[in-house]
Amino acid sequence: MSFEKITYSVDDEIAVIAMNDPKTMNAAGVDTVEEMSHALEMAGDEARCTIITGNGRGFCSGANLSANPGGAPGPKRKPDTGRELDRVYNPFIKAMRTHPHPIITAVNGAAAGVGCSIALMGDFIVAAESSYFLQAFRRIGLVPDGGSTYLLTRTIGRARAMEMTLFGEKIPAKQAFEWGLVNRVVSDDKLMDEAKNYALQLANGPTTALAMIRDLVWQAEDNDLDSQLQAERFAQRTAGRSPDFAEGVKAFLEKRPADFRKG
């Protein structure tokens, strides 16, 4: 499949999906998100780890306002700026959540609006030193979307989530790290090298277990203890029946590194 708004590549079983619309600093228009959805589905079949990033000066400047995402109002109908959330954006966020292997987001420059949401959906978030996170919605009279209120509240707590969303101020990478919003902050010129190093570690890992680990951690944000213990129990049964577990035990007994790619 050919893409116009993104680039997609797979190397060493690592898929890289990069937003690629320099004129808008990678604004996430409907067309961009639809292409990302297709690429994410392909990556699920073709890779063992996925990196999402942005080409050029920014990760994603937010939704493409010039595309009029709410649509023109009809004679007796007001515009619905939430319509495309149902159709395109929310399904993409859910697809990131249910992806079959870990996702790394490599954040360069601005991660604003829904771009901030996409960045925060990464299972592991690597930010360039010059990057920043911005809940820009209030600047144009809208509310956070793309799961931002859910993600922020659970990641940095209600007080800081309120601060980010009510005031709409930039949170630089260093502050984002101090708040626990991202996992790593690296120099700009090392961003993709570092992201690929982490991706390679995950791609070389036990993919069955890693898929279930990411799912369990996401579930834990909403489950009570009993529900989470039950989820772990069933996941452990599946993991224990996988070729990865057999290879892991065999490698341990033979005192050698496990080769999980064989499975």
Side-chain angles (χ1 to χ4, degrees):
M1 177 177 180
S2 61
F3 298 106
E4 295 181 3
K5 296 292 186 178
I6 69 168
T7 61
Y8 174 77
S9 62
V10 179
D11 183 40
D12 208 8
E13 295 185 283
I14 298 168
V16 178
I17 301 170
M19 289 168 274
N20 190 41
D21 189 4
K23 296 191 300 295
T24 64
M25 253 176 69
N26 299 326
V30 167
D31 48 0
T32 299
V33 178
E34 286 177 336
E35 289 190 7
M36 291 178 71
S37 295
H38 288 304
L40 193 65
E41 186 175 355
M42 292 167 59
D45 294 329
E46 299 174 353
R48 294 166 64 95
C49 185
T50 298
I51 297 173
I52 295 178
T53 190
N55 289 332
R57 297 184 298 116
F59 179 79
C60 176
S61 59
N64 191 347
L65 296 179
S66 64
N68 190 20
K76 295 184 179 181
R77 187 181 68 193
K78 293 182 178 180
D80 181 358
T81 49
R83 185 183 305 125
E84 299 302 343
L85 294 178
D86 279 338
R87 190 177 73 84
V88 179
Y89 293 89
N90 291 349
F92 176 68
I93 294 296
K94 291 178 182 178
M96 289 185 69
R97 160 66 181 86
T98 58
H99 197 55
H101 55 240
I103 295 174
I104 293 175
T105 47
V107 185
N108 53 309
V114 74
C116 183
S117 305
I118 293 170
L120 297 180
M121 280 299 299
D123 301 307
F124 191 83
I125 305 168
V126 185
E129 288 177 341
S130 66
S131 68
Y132 62 88
F133 298 80
L134 173 62
Q135 287 290 300
F137 301 93
R138 59 93 68 205
R139 297 186 178 192
I140 55 172
L142 290 178
V143 303
D145 59 29
S148 285
T149 54
Y150 178 95
L151 293 164
L152 288 171
T153 303
R154 285 160 174 76
T155 303
I156 57 177
R158 181 182 59 82
R160 284 173 171 164
M162 284 288 193
E163 181 177 345
M164 277 190 74
T165 53
L166 290 178
F167 290 96
E169 296 174 345
K170 294 179 181 179
I171 305 299
K174 183 175 182 295
Q175 184 178 350
F177 179 75
E178 291 169 351
W179 280 11
L181 200 61
V182 304
N183 297 96
R184 299 286 188 277
V185 175
V186 302
S187 62
D188 289 18
D189 60 338
K190 298 291 186 185
L191 176 64
M192 286 307 295
D193 287 340
E194 291 293 323
K196 287 178 180 178
N197 283 337
Y198 290 117
L200 189 60
Q201 294 179 52
L202 294 171
N204 284 332
T207 52
T208 298
L210 294 182
M212 290 189 294
I213 287 169
R214 73 183 296 275
D215 192 44
L216 285 167
V217 174
W218 279 106
Q219 288 183 52
E221 294 182 319
D222 299 310
N223 279 349
D224 58 28
L225 178 60
D226 286 343
S227 299
Q228 195 65 15
L229 289 171
Q230 189 75 347
E232 290 175 351
R233 180 259 180 275
F234 286 117
Q236 198 70 291
R237 179 179 64 186
T238 302
R241 293 173 176 175
S242 71
D244 284 342
F245 177 62
E247 165 62 12
V249 172
K250 188 170 186 289
F252 175 79
L253 295 174
E254 294 174 357
K255 296 182 171 54
R256 59 170 177 81
D259 184 2
F260 292 115
R261 287 183 185 250
K262 293 193 304 187

